[in-house]
Amino acid sequence: MIICPSCQQENVDGTQFCEMCGEELPQAAATSSDENLVACPKCAHQNPADNLACEACGAELQAAVTPAVAATDDIFGSLPDSGLAPPLDAPAPDDLPTQAEMESTPFDAALTAPTSAPPAGGDLAPGNVKLVVEQGQTVGAQFVLGDAELLVGREDEDEEIYPDIDLSDQDAGYVHRRHATLSFENGNLSVTHLGGSNKTRVNNKPIADNVPQMVKLGDKIAFGKVVLRLLPV
């Protein structure tokens, strides 16, 4: 048995996440050799070398330094800064306004000209992200989030409930028929728990009923005891 370090729950050997609180179990750490892992530049989490995004925080993984470049750095070191080059953001002489242009620009126009574009939303959209089962009856099963709003739950023909993401085969005893919704808006994705004793958790933390919770790439989302991870398609 594997003892959860967070809540002391006993879990069956091979379980990746605690069945009680969803905490990642220490024995479930990656067993790949070091040369097949890539450290996340943001949170230092070790990821498989073919991952595009960090499994822990969703940050984009940077390409590793090639051996040739590393060897060159070891031999020669970094070249000293001569101090002669202008700052990267300094305008080139041709970009500077002429005296005539400065005199012809109205003062009010200079004050009211926009300085930058308004901040854009996120980059999550239907069709470019998916949920991958990490704990359930079928580990590795994938659900591409293809619609602006999706119902997560368990199919019930008698009640005519047909969820977009049907987890009946994953763990029917702990997934409500109408468990949660996933919604895209302005490039962001949120999950909302629709009520019931088997909670929805984001990164092991239960979320409030009927309150949208923003999620990002790499987050773990648990519906009852079924744990999935949000990844790019």
Side-chain angles (χ1 to χ4, degrees):
M1 303 295 287
I2 304 175
I3 305 299
C4 174
S6 178
C7 68
Q8 306 305 311
Q9 168 73 14
E10 292 186 353
N11 297 269
V12 178
D13 290 341
T15 303
Q16 188 174 4
F17 298 95
C18 177
E19 295 183 351
M20 178 63 69
C21 68
E23 182 71 19
E24 188 169 0
L25 299 177
Q27 290 83 353
T31 58
S32 301
S33 58
D34 292 342
E35 61 269 22
N36 293 328
L37 298 177
V38 176
C40 173
K42 184 175 180 181
C43 69
H45 178 76
Q46 296 292 328
N47 297 269
D50 57 353
N51 274 23
L52 299 178
C54 177
E55 293 180 345
C57 69
E60 182 177 356
L61 297 178
Q62 304 295 323
V65 179
T66 61
V69 174
T72 303
D73 289 344
D74 292 340
I75 296 173
F76 298 103
S78 301
L79 294 176
D81 186 358
S82 66
L84 299 179
L88 293 177
D89 57 352
D94 291 342
D95 296 333
L96 296 175
T98 64
Q99 184 66 28
E101 290 174 335
M102 294 177 63
E103 293 176 352
S104 63
T105 302
F107 181 71
D108 291 341
L111 291 178
T112 58
T115 57
S116 61
D123 55 1
L124 302 183
N128 70 1
V129 290
K130 62 185 177 182
L131 286 174
V132 180
V133 176
E134 292 194 349
Q135 181 169 305
Q137 295 298 321
T138 310
V139 174
Q142 302 183 11
F143 300 92
V144 176
L145 309 185
D147 296 322
E149 183 166 345
L150 305 102
L151 174 65
V152 181
R154 177 168 46 86
E155 181 178 314
D156 188 330
E157 293 184 356
D158 294 336
E159 296 293 332
E160 297 186 350
I161 299 174
Y162 302 98
D164 302 290
I165 299 179
D166 184 7
L167 300 180
S168 301
D169 295 335
Q170 296 296 330
D171 200 334
Y174 290 89
V175 177
H176 300 299
R177 290 171 297 179
R178 297 182 184 273
H179 199 107
T181 58
L182 294 164
S183 302
F184 290 93
E185 184 176 359
N186 194 30
N188 297 307
L189 177 63
S190 62
V191 57
T192 303
H193 183 67
L194 300 180
S197 58
N198 298 317
K199 295 297 185 180
T200 298
R201 303 188 305 277
V202 174
N203 295 326
N204 303 329
K205 296 181 180 179
I207 63 176
D209 294 357
N210 302 308
V211 178
Q213 171 70 45
M214 204 80 69
V215 293
K216 61 184 183 302
L217 289 176
D219 281 351
K220 290 189 302 181
I221 307 176
F223 306 101
K225 289 187 177 183
V226 183
V227 181
L228 306 96
R229 193 177 294 274
L230 185 66
L231 296 173
V233 172

